[in-house]
Amino acid sequence: MGGMVTRSRGRPRSFDRDTALERATHVFWRHGYGATSISDLTAAMGIGAPSLYAAFGDKQTLFEEVVAHYVEVYGSFVGQAMAEEPTARRAVERVLRRAADEYAVPGRPAGCLVISAATNYQDSAREVAEKLRAVRERNARAFGSRIRVDVAAGVLPEDVDADALARYSAAVMQGMSQQARDGAGAEELRSVAELAMRAWPAERRDGEPERPAR
């Protein structure tokens, strides 16, 4: 009997861990790490603080799981484009176009959690911010790796600065995320993506440059 009472206090019988994690993701996504309190989380997740700690650990541990969940569910389009598109240019173009849509889905927090969740942080959240920075750096490195492959293969001109082009593309994504949080819609963000791709050098096939996309 005592055990049943303890469970009902902290964790309702309807508790679903996956649903609770998804709700926590939306709270952190909307408000950021620093501005999100345990009471914000428990209210959204529909559980008491004891259950939150029992199921997810402390706030930082929960956030780390949220980031992994976000990357897998909402950010997987980056890795998919890198793996599936035949060239760096096509991969990044697909990423930016998809980001334009993903960052402005109605009824969902705007922008990218990985980009915006820890922009202003106290020293106590430095570890959290560094982990998010590492995720962003991973994407930029993925862009750079694909660009270098295409330069070596002659698909892109040999004088292309792979690191600069990769960082430019990552910076566009970051800017699109902030624009979405400021109210820009998908159509406006797609225009940004299209303009960004005009800065890319044209691909070459059989030694001849392609016409730039219009």
Side-chain angles (χ1 to χ4, degrees):
M1 282 289 278
M4 291 177 64
V5 172
T6 302
R7 274 201 306 274
S8 65
R9 261 171 152 181
R11 180 181 301 182
R13 293 184 183 183
S14 60
F15 175 82
D16 179 277
R17 196 178 190 284
D18 292 339
T19 299
L21 179 62
E22 175 69 10
R23 290 175 178 173
T25 299
H26 280 242
V27 175
F28 281 123
W29 192 351
R30 181 171 286 108
H31 300 296
Y33 179 80
T36 297
S37 67
I38 293 296
S39 59
D40 293 331
L41 291 165
T42 56
M45 297 163 79
I47 57 176
S51 285
L52 186 152
Y53 293 126
F56 298 101
D58 60 14
K59 176 182 168 181
Q60 181 173 333
T61 305
L62 169 58
F63 183 71
E64 289 172 0
E65 187 169 346
V66 158
V67 172
H69 173 72
Y70 176 88
V71 170
E72 179 182 356
V73 175
Y74 298 103
S76 60
F77 66 89
V78 177
Q80 288 171 356
M82 291 293 108
E84 295 172 5
E85 293 299 326
T87 66
R89 181 190 175 100
R90 295 183 193 184
V92 171
E93 184 173 21
R94 174 172 158 183
V95 167
L96 294 184
R97 286 179 172 174
R98 182 70 181 276
D101 293 332
E102 291 291 330
Y103 292 172
V105 173
R108 208 166 76 185
C112 172
L113 178 148
V114 171
I115 292 171
S116 65
T119 50
N120 297 315
Y121 58 89
Q122 299 177 340
D123 285 344
S124 59
R126 185 173 299 277
E127 184 179 349
V128 167
E130 285 298 315
K131 287 183 177 180
L132 289 179
R133 185 187 66 80
V135 176
R136 296 192 295 268
E137 284 291 315
R138 189 168 66 222
N139 285 341
R141 286 197 301 271
F143 292 169
S145 295
R146 288 298 306 275
I147 292 166
R148 280 189 285 275
V149 167
D150 283 2
V151 170
V155 175
L156 290 172
E158 62 181 13
D159 61 351
V160 166
D161 185 330
D163 289 333
L165 188 56
R167 289 208 169 273
Y168 166 75
S169 302
V172 171
M173 284 187 73
Q174 292 172 348
M176 289 169 65
S177 174
Q178 184 58 53
Q179 287 284 304
R181 292 181 72 83
D182 286 343
E187 186 174 348
E188 294 169 293
L189 297 178
R190 282 193 291 268
S191 296
V192 172
E194 295 297 331
L195 282 171
M197 293 311 301
R198 294 185 188 179
W200 271 64
E203 292 181 352
R204 299 171 182 270
R205 291 183 179 176
D206 300 324
E208 294 296 328
E210 280 190 358
R211 291 184 177 183
R214 296 185 181 275

